Amino acid sequence: MRSVVLQMFLLLAMLVGLSATLLTPLLYDAELGVIYPRDLLVLVGLVLFLGRSRFGLALRWLVTSAWGVVVFFELVRAIGISAMNQQPLLYDAFFLVKHLYVLLSDLMGWKAPAMFVGILVFWLTVTAVGHWIFGRLITVGGRWTWWQRVGFFAVLVGSAVGIEVSTPLIGNNSLQDASRNLAGSLDVVRDIRRGTDASAYDEMDAVTLTTKPSVHIYIIESYGSGVLAKRIREDYFSMRAKMSLRLGTKGWRVVTSRTVAPVMGGRSWLADATLLSGRLVKHESVYRHLKPEFSTLRTLPSFFRSQGYRTILMRQNNKVRPGVSLENNFAFTDTVFFDDIGYTGEPYGWAEVPDQVALGHLREEVLPRLDGTPNFVFAHLGSSHIPWTGLPPIVDDWRTMNTGSVAAEGEDLEMSEGQLKMQMKRFKRKDEVRLRRLRPTPDNVEDYLEAITYSFEAVVRHIERLETTPEIIIIMGDHQPPLYKHNTDFTVPMHVMAKDKRWLEAFRAQGFKSGMKLGYKDDAIRHEGFYSLMVRALAGPNEAALPPYREHGITTGEAQGE
């Protein structure tokens, strides 16, 4: 009897340990200590009670397969929530692996492939250990009486219930969640197969611009409503007020609202694709299937091209490297990528090329070559991308960054206390693994705001120094930062600027308010509605027939959802 009890508790300890070993390192929430799969109880019960039957061997392999699925699914779910604050579809995960690998390689170097190999080995090891434990349950459980089996199972269930009620420790029905995820993946596949309506946005073709204002959109990476977090909001308000005052003295009228991004915490390309195409693209799989069609579909860049504009795409971090090629999916007439800028100075942060340098190159090398042709600029900046360390300095002449001389000159010598603090933070030594900085801490929340402040300063200086100013300028974010794990707010700020108030009327009609205050989340527009709103803003002053405002854009299927 003593041997049976010992075996019982030994197996119980191994099962609980296996569950904890699997899921403790994958903490979705800082408050959770153990997240166990409730499905494990069902699997153990099947093996324990039916393992000695004639179906025992097949059952063992079936249960091992189910356990392997649980392990794999929880790995995918945990990594997705940690990296993007969202549970990815399994179908999406297949496409996202490449992007995740490239991103981690940029941030972590050789540690990235080592980590991927480690995850694979971990999955295989835990699955194999589970197979061994199930085999031991069959062998040992076959010598137990039915009452002993029931007793063991009762202890196991009791332990799980004890974990469940000892808040905040909880469990998951992993197999059930995985099956729902798989069903959602199949729904997306079906939507993709239906294709996209080629006649979508026909009404845009009826708009002819006789007055052709230049339009510039500057995307500040990760500039989301996360700037309203309690710890940093007052500093953000102060920065915003100064920027608003500077723009106002140059004659700019500003209206502001929020816009709902399709993603949170990452995958900027999905946010950009939604904004430019007027189609909700919140899944990587949808993006991959639409990508070959973007150049021929009706999109915001194609609208401007049809009106005789030069369209310029600027992404200073885009460069050819293993697994990554340069892409111009929306058929912009001109592109500005990493190698085009020719930056030879010190690499800063993830983007390497500072925003101020990229914008200086755009202003002084690219725009003057357009010879007065109306232009549409879409510039996605990169200095405020995680990990928000190693920020560049703000300098008087961006070209000095190429020489390695980064001493500020002129007005930059009179820095405010806030600017000085921002510059001094560049010299802080930070030995943490960069991935751990995704968790909100006092340090990285402040680092986040400093990065946003740097990019905002670079954009405003760029606007102040433009020789020929565009009629409409938009400064906005792409998605929320990868910080706030309990946040369900997908909104980002959108500031629309013009010196002629006529260009702002359509935005005011959709709830944009004067100034740079963000307004309420409930008043936000949506990324997919921006395309139609932008065309309406251009059509009004041209006395053209206003196309309908499509708040939800053109959906690609029910699985994209609300």
Side-chain angles (χ1 to χ4, degrees), residues 89-110:
L89 288 177
L90 292 172
Y91 187 46
D92 263 19
F94 173 77
F95 294 104
L96 283 167
V97 166
K98 173 184 173 183
H99 286 291
L100 183 62
Y101 180 80
V102 171
L103 173 63
L104 294 183
S105 295
D106 287 343
L107 293 176
M108 302 174 64
W110 65 269

Side-chain angles (χ1 to χ4, degrees), residues 147-443:
W147 290 110
Q148 288 171 333
R149 296 183 198 184
V150 170
F152 174 79
F153 195 64
V155 171
L156 181 62
V157 172
S159 301
V161 171
I163 292 176
E164 189 76 20
V165 299
S166 301
T167 184
L169 307 182
I170 64 172
N172 287 315
N173 293 315
S174 301
L175 284 173
Q176 184 181 20
D177 292 346
S179 64
R180 289 174 179 171
N181 192 297
L182 183 59
S185 297
L186 294 176
D187 286 341
V188 169
V189 172
R190 282 192 289 268
D191 282 345
I192 290 170
R193 287 177 176 172
R194 292 191 192 107
T196 302
D197 184 3
S199 66
Y201 294 129
D202 273 345
E203 61 267 23
M204 305 300 176
D205 294 342
V207 177
T208 300
L209 303 182
T210 54
T211 301
K212 300 179 179 180
S214 291
V215 179
H216 289 194
I217 299 178
Y218 298 103
I219 305 290
I220 295 179
E221 171 68 35
S222 297
Y223 177 35
S225 299
V227 292
L228 300 179
K230 185 181 298 185
R231 186 177 186 85
I232 57 176
R233 71 175 60 161
E234 293 302 324
D235 289 336
Y236 167 69
F237 293 158
S238 176
M239 178 272 288
R240 188 182 66 191
K242 293 175 184 176
M243 301 298 177
S244 181
L245 180 62
R246 286 166 57 180
L247 293 168
T249 59
K250 296 294 184 179
W252 291 101
R253 303 169 186 263
V254 184
V255 296
T256 297
S257 185
R258 304 195 210 184
T259 173
V260 181
V263 290
M264 178 186 289
R267 297 176 292 170
S268 301
W269 56 94
L270 301 189
D272 288 355
T274 300
L275 196 75
L276 294 176
S277 72
R279 293 162 176 81
L280 178 60
V281 185
K282 68 178 183 180
H283 296 303
E284 179 67 18
S285 48
V286 173
Y287 174 78
R288 292 295 186 94
H289 288 278
L290 281 177
K291 188 167 69 168
E293 302 180 37
F294 282 137
S295 60
T296 56
L297 291 174
R298 287 178 174 84
T299 63
L300 193 56
S302 73
F303 170 80
F304 281 112
R305 286 200 313 272
S306 70
Q307 302 288 335
Y309 280 65
R310 293 279 289 275
T311 57
I312 298 121
L313 170 68
M314 188 185 83
R315 288 178 173 275
Q316 80 254 35
N317 64 291
N318 280 21
K319 59 182 176 179
V320 177
R321 54 194 189 275
V324 178
S325 58
L326 296 178
E327 296 178 336
N328 181 14
N329 297 319
F330 288 87
F332 283 82
T333 60
D334 301 83
T335 58
V336 181
F337 296 138
F338 181 89
D339 290 332
D340 299 314
I341 297 172
Y343 179 61
T344 58
E346 179 181 349
Y348 288 93
W350 174 78
E352 298 187 16
V353 179
D355 287 352
Q356 189 182 13
V357 173
L359 291 168
H361 176 84
L362 174 69
R363 181 178 65 250
E364 298 182 18
E365 301 293 339
V366 178
L367 295 179
R369 298 200 297 263
L370 303 183
D371 297 324
T373 304
N375 57 83
F376 168 62
V377 172
F378 187 81
H380 194 125
L381 305 174
S383 291
S384 53
H385 194 285
I386 57 171
W388 308 316
T389 54
L391 287 177
I394 289 289
V395 297
D396 191 55
D397 180 1
W398 65 273
R399 295 180 185 274
T400 61
M401 298 290 290
N402 271 326
T403 65
S405 173
V406 296
E409 300 173 3
E411 67 194 60
D412 297 292
L413 293 176
E414 301 177 3
M415 299 202 307
S416 67
E417 180 181 350
Q419 289 174 310
L420 180 61
K421 186 185 296 185
M422 185 179 79
Q423 301 299 338
M424 292 303 292
K425 292 266 290 195
R426 294 190 298 115
F427 301 100
K428 286 180 65 176
R429 180 177 178 85
K430 295 181 179 177
D431 295 322
E432 307 176 33
V433 176
R434 288 174 170 177
L435 280 180
R436 293 184 63 187
R437 299 181 57 74
L438 292 173
R439 298 180 181 178
T441 66
D443 278 346

